[in-house]
Amino acid sequence: GLLCVSGRCWADEGVGVILLQVIEGKRPQLVPNGYFEYSLDPGTRMEGTVELTNVGENPLHLKAYSGDCNNNSYGDLVGPLWGEPSSQVGRWLSSPVSEVTLEPRQRKRIPVAVQVPLQTPPGDYFGFYFFQPDSPEQPADAVGPAELGVAMKVESRIGVIFLCHVSAALDSRKL
């Protein structure tokens, strides 16, 4: 299981997550509320840092990818699976890291940037940056008796939420 409180997440096995705002020359600050939240103008860029810790006893290999954030019919926040396309914030998020390997008890910081396109209308936009196991030694769990045709594949992943409040473009504001 995974528990998240005020920017920190702990797992009884697997990956622990801490969200940080890192400013050069200053001490990293814990991100409040458990997600990144930025107020940005179109065309601007902001970077956050995701600190991953392997809290287990075995090495972990994770793939990292971005995705749009939407609501399902129950109102839950959901994001795309690996390989599914994004059309909004999932395309705005980027990182120089697409894979990360963590040895037992190892910690790594992963920078993730959001770049708001110039023509973005004002509004609130949500996106995810996911970390998901990607290794033959870490297969997805099978749930249900396969011989009855009711088995399903369950994959675990951690989705870091990015909330972007986009203001009106500078040239369209009334002064």
Side-chain angles (χ1 to χ4, degrees):
L2 183 68
L3 171 66
C4 298
V5 180
S6 185
R8 295 176 183 258
C9 297
W10 297 269
D12 50 7
E13 60 180 59
V15 180
V17 178
I18 296 176
L19 307 181
L20 300 169
Q21 194 63 51
V22 179
I23 299 170
E24 191 173 331
K26 295 188 177 185
R27 185 175 181 197
Q29 298 294 312
L30 186 65
V31 173
N33 305 320
Y35 57 89
F36 289 103
E37 183 174 13
Y38 300 119
S39 294
L40 301 167
D41 292 327
T44 58
R45 180 180 191 275
M46 185 66 79
E47 188 173 287
T49 301
V50 179
E51 184 174 280
L52 302 174
T53 304
N54 180 353
V55 298
E57 299 300 326
N58 297 307
L60 290 173
H61 184 71
L62 305 170
K63 56 188 173 188
Y65 64 99
S66 61
D68 292 338
C69 180
N70 297 295
N71 291 102
N72 65 14
S73 59
Y74 300 105
D76 300 324
L77 296 177
V78 295
L81 298 174
W82 170 254
E84 292 181 348
S86 293
S87 61
Q88 287 189 341
V89 180
R91 297 180 78 170
W92 305 356
L93 295 170
S94 64
S95 175
V97 177
S98 60
E99 301 181 344
V100 61
T101 298
L102 295 167
E103 296 302 322
R105 308 293 180 210
Q106 184 181 18
R107 178 180 299 172
K108 287 188 181 176
R109 289 185 177 172
I110 311 299
V112 180
V114 59
Q115 172 77 45
V116 179
L118 281 171
Q119 303 304 318
T120 303
D124 295 333
Y125 298 86
F126 285 92
F128 282 111
Y129 204 80
F130 291 108
F131 297 93
Q132 179 173 329
D134 183 30
S135 170
E137 295 83 42
Q138 300 154 1
D141 297 324
V143 178
E147 63 276 1
L148 297 179
V150 294
M152 85 176 133
K153 182 178 174 182
V154 177
E155 293 185 339
S156 298
R157 62 184 180 166
I158 295 172
V160 177
I161 297 173
F162 283 76
L163 169 56
C164 301
H165 305 287
V166 178
S167 61
L170 291 174
D171 59 3
S172 67
R173 293 182 190 165
K174 295 183 180 181
L175 301 174

